[in-house]
Amino acid sequence: MDRARQGRPGVRRRIGAVIAAGAAAALAVTALAAPAQSADARAADVNVAKNAGFEADLANWTCAANSGAAVTSPVHGGAKALSATPSGQGTAECSQIVKVKPNSTYKLSSWVQGSYAYLGARGTGTTDVSTWTPGASSWQQLSTSFTTGANTTSVTVYTHGWYGQSAYYVDDVSVLGPDGGGGPDPVEIPAVPAGLAAGTTTSASVELSWTSVSTATGYTVYRDGTKVASPAGASTTVTGLAPDTTYSFQVSASNGAGESAKSAAVSVRTKAGGGGDGGTVPKHALTGYWQNFNNGASVQKLREVSSQYDIIAVSFADATPTPGQITFNLDPAVGYASTADFKADIAAKKAAGKSVILSVGGEKGTVSVNSDASAAAFANSAYALMQEYGFDGVDIDLENGLNPTYMTKALRQLSAKAGPKMVLTMAPQTIDMQSTSGGYFQTALNVKDILTVVNMQYYNSGSMLGCDGKVYSQGSVDFLTALACIQLEGGLDPSQVGLGVPSSTRAAGGGYVAPSVVNNALDCLTRGTGCGSFKPSRTYPSLRGAMTWSINWDATAGSTWSNSVGPKVHSLP
């Protein structure tokens, strides 16, 4: 949004022979089972493999022809696993030399997934061993054992696939036996975390914490048996939950030796309702941006703003020399005799059931939140302005990009200060919401439990992809509905999605649509009527509403936009 302009701008051998040879090898391994050790000896056994869970990528491992890599999915334990892909005459072998004791027995095991995954040891000084599986669509454990020779102090353990086959995956390798002098890496899987408990719970999130495990380098959180988070510390917030729903959570600890068993489960029920409604925002709301400057549009005081608007975003906060910090400077051009008069207007609008928030950014905004310090500065200064002026919350309209990690921290810190009634809106550009991998979309999903609405700007953007993969041009009902579908199916609750459009042809450089087109799009998304060539596969009756840039340009055009779109929004199902 622009304060200066009118708007903002092949298998090499027979497989049968392979299987026969592998089966013979497996039988030979079984025949070589080592004699049982005493209980005292077993108690001293450690995992002598280094980086056994590939948490440090390929450290300590060598993969032929650069055929291997550490991946984050699929994994058996921890956050990473090995993926290796055979090619040509290669089998994508990955190996590690481990230090062992002479005349000692070691149990060799790993978890594998994929076609023709092998596990073995050579250079044992006695009889080398291997085992394999012809294929597994889920994680499967391979196990064998070997005994070292009288002069053996190191052994090569390896894993590989087979010629012409697809990638195989390996995780949590174990070479369990006496320490051969390699030292801890660590050499033991960490203990099971204790004390898992739920903290603050909203309709879409739950805070979890547990007692830290001294040998753990990370943790894995499970929701109903599915991995949902991999925090480094002993706490996390799980988001993206459904309202009024019971979930079961568990946590495990991991390090280079592998992953512990899961903890005892804790059951949590989320609160009823959608995301952060904040203040007195109605189920369906009309949002407008009020200009704290004069750019040729009608100059209005807040008291003169049409009653159709439920959320009034005061535009804009100003940056300070301190990174992340914001302030607000009332522009004399809008005609207020004093700051007190402006504050009185905010209070009057709030008394009338409206929400007045402070918008941060705009096309020329320079606020940057990209560190812990700037996140704290943003939260502290935004809260101070809410306290001073009576703002109900903030709008994030950073059109020059944002850092999802630190903006998430900033908004959560602000929410913790302001409380559950804080109104939080966003106004990303269309390009920012084309994919959930984008920083803006990530931020919206990260704060879904405290987010009121995302009013994406469906203008000044040219053509864009819709959720059906087709290209749509701005200025049409299909552009509004097919792009809204991306957010609606990408993780946001329908109550957190609004349609942002210009209020007049003078308010933006391109993308203006008549109020009737906005109303058709609202009907299409909520009722399945009024659609163009694109029709969503389902309806979203709880869609929040619509937004416009700006209230002032709307007033310049005789309030045509708000007088038409406002009643439509307020009559949505």
Side-chain angles (χ1 to χ4, degrees), residues 95-307:
S95 62
Q96 177 181 154
I97 299 175
V98 299
K99 292 186 177 182
V100 295
K101 280 190 174 182
N103 297 322
S104 300
T105 298
Y106 291 84
K107 181 179 179 181
L108 172 64
S109 67
S110 72
W111 289 87
V112 299
Q113 185 177 145
S115 299
Y116 298 95
Y118 287 72
L119 175 69
R122 58 176 173 259
T124 63
T126 55
T127 303
D128 294 347
V129 299
S130 68
T131 184
W132 69 298
T133 177
S137 59
S138 59
W139 289 104
Q140 173 181 336
Q141 190 175 36
L142 294 178
S143 299
T144 185
S145 61
F146 62 88
T147 300
T148 57
N151 299 307
T152 304
T153 57
S154 65
V155 169
T156 298
V157 296
Y158 63 87
T159 183
H160 66 73
W162 200 248
Y163 310 112
Q165 301 301 299
S166 57
Y168 69 94
Y169 302 90
V170 180
D171 203 359
D172 298 334
V173 179
S174 177
V175 188
L176 193 65
D179 184 2
D185 190 40
V187 294
E188 294 182 353
I189 292 174
V192 178
L196 177 62
T200 301
T201 302
T202 72
S203 60
S205 69
V206 59
E207 293 179 355
L208 297 172
S209 62
W210 52 91
T211 302
S212 63
V213 179
S214 60
T215 59
T217 57
Y219 302 89
T220 302
V221 177
Y222 294 84
R223 182 189 69 209
D224 298 329
T226 301
K227 296 176 183 179
V228 293
S230 299
S235 64
T236 193
T237 299
V238 179
T239 61
L241 307 179
D244 198 25
T245 303
T246 298
Y247 295 94
S248 177
F249 294 96
Q250 292 172 284
V251 63
S252 65
S254 59
N255 57 24
E259 181 183 14
S260 74
K262 299 182 184 72
S263 70
V266 60
S267 181
V268 183
R269 189 170 188 85
T270 54
K271 294 182 178 180
D277 283 343
T280 56
V281 178
K283 178 181 178 181
H284 300 295
L286 195 72
T287 302
Y289 285 78
W290 177 84
Q291 298 179 184
N292 178 41
F293 50 87
N294 183 356
N295 66 345
S298 294
V299 175
Q300 285 189 319
K301 293 185 175 64
L302 286 177
R303 70 192 74 152
E304 299 168 325
V305 171
S306 169
S307 62

Side-chain angles (χ1 to χ4, degrees), residues 51 115 273 428 559:
N51 189 26
S115 299
S559 299

Side-chain angles (χ1 to χ4, degrees), residues 110 186 232 240 450 474 525:
S110 72
I450 59 172
Q474 66 180 10
L525 293 169

